[in-house]
Amino acid sequence: MNSDDTLAAIEARLWQAPHDEKLLENYQQRFRDLEQLNDAPRHNFIIVIPVADRPQHLEACLGSTLKLCEAFGYGGQENGCYGKVAVLIADDSKESHNIKRHRVIATDYHQRGLTTHYFGQAEQLAQLDKLDTETRAQLRPILGNIPSDKFFHKGASMMRNIAYLKLNEMVADSDNTLLYFIDSDQEFQVKVQTRDGERNLYAINYFYHLNKIFNDTDATILTGKVVGDPPVSPSVMAANFLDDVSAFLGEIAEHAAADGCSFHDTATQNSDDAAYHDMADLFGFKKKEQAFHYPCDIRGAHDHATCFADFACKLNRFFDGEHPTRKSYYEHLPLAKTITPARTIYTGNYCFRAEALRYFIPFATLKLRMAGPVLGRIIKAEIGDKFVSANLPMLHKRTVDEIGQSEFRPGINREQQHVELSGEFERQFFGDVMLFAMAQLTAQGYPTATLSDEQIKGTVQEIETQMLRHYTLKHQQIGEKLTALKALFDDRNQWWQQSDALTESRIRFSHFIANMTANFGDDANGYQQIHATEHRAQRQQQIVTAIASYRHDRERWEAVLAANAA
């Protein structure tokens, strides 16, 4: 039996019993032994982590990267350093104390054997200073034009594009380096369900599998997904979450507060088919009408009052993107069977050959959401089956346990207990307009074919009308669901309204309902923005202009890459 067959056999046993720690260690040890024996060529990896004011997330992400190296030993060690893996931290932070912490964290992991390069504001500005004034002006749609004294929170897309310039220099003419972008709130683990409940496991040798795929196929770009917390905005999860919260209250109301918790005997539903998305049907997924049950994760004997209080603690994490009832879990399949043509890039988990640096994140200065799906449509139109996806998800953690929320998220404002999502909501709506317009335009031959401004504008207007109709309908449904939830929660006959011990939990529920009403109710700022005729016209013109200029932007970008790599 050769090494691949042995690994496949151990892997098959592992996923029959993912709770077996000895079997997992045996699997990891087999890979470490293989690295000692195998002198076959290995790709080098540069992992890029864009980060903005998230030191705790960054610490966990780098810790996970080092743990992955230690668990599987990819490329082996030399002088205590993992020579085939390096990290580039692209820092877009505003707060000086976070910048300092990011630098310290980078230095710490470098000293621990994980080659780590810090790419902060000074380094980014120095990178841009290598461009002459005319070139910098030509690349403004890609790199922005932000003054040096405000060179922070530029947005993930602009930050990635600036990092592309740095990477272009780092790889030069190398054909043996893979560039791997991940998000700072992710880890190299997978979330699984075992007989003992949820577990996060270092059970995938990402570097080994990516190396094999890029050696054995002509793939240029590969994208994975995430497990754990959903990768989408709360602005497109409100309706289904309200369904689940109402279902939880309706079910727990049927039991006495002091009865033993009954939320442990429900089979966990996997939301990997985008069940967390209110408009999943627009993306080709079958729409799920039923509510998802809440799986209580409290260990040991406890009653319904305790379960209620724990659920209340999780409610407001929704505004940071957590979804307590619709998490996704890893489902194992032999990796080769999961490699399929792709159409969407998940920008928190994609790996590519250096030649694909020509595909900068488009329309970065518009700061719209859905940048990855938009880029994916362009790439698919140009390279077809060389753009693939595979079952190599990473663990996504939206919040930090110590503070119960994300450290920083653009487009979200907090003031005491009030959460304002309108900025993110607006970027989501027009990001959807951009995405579905791009899907139609690429079907017409874009970007290779030259389309008139009238064709582009007509498509964007048509899609905007459709999206406004979808969002308006969803708004009406959310209003009805909110009314029903509030009536159920406020019912004075329910035991949670009669318990002094649950006062704090009732306050948490009330804050949740108030924030849902503020962000998705009749007077919500986000809906007012997307219905404002003047604002829509302005955004529409920005989108049309950006799409029309993309080919010229690409030509200038590719010329700069060629000159800088020379």
Side-chain angles (χ1 to χ4, degrees), residues 19 110 126 148 156 199 280 303 340 368 394-395 423 432 445 488 547:
H19 57 279
H110 189 79
S148 59
R199 289 189 65 194
D303 58 19
T340 57
L368 302 179
M394 295 184 68
L395 177 63
D432 283 341
L488 178 57
I547 293 173

Side-chain angles (χ1 to χ4, degrees), residues 243-289:
D243 285 339
D244 297 351
V245 176
S246 289
F248 171 80
L249 286 183
E251 186 173 351
I252 207 167
E254 297 176 359
H255 303 276
D259 287 349
C261 181
S262 60
F263 287 81
H264 294 265
D265 57 357
T266 302
T268 301
Q269 296 161 282
N270 197 341
S271 64
D272 63 347
D273 59 354
Y276 45 74
H277 201 301
D278 285 343
M279 292 178 279
D281 53 318
L282 295 179
F283 297 86
F285 294 101
K286 186 177 180 181
K287 193 172 183 179
K288 290 185 179 292
E289 299 295 342

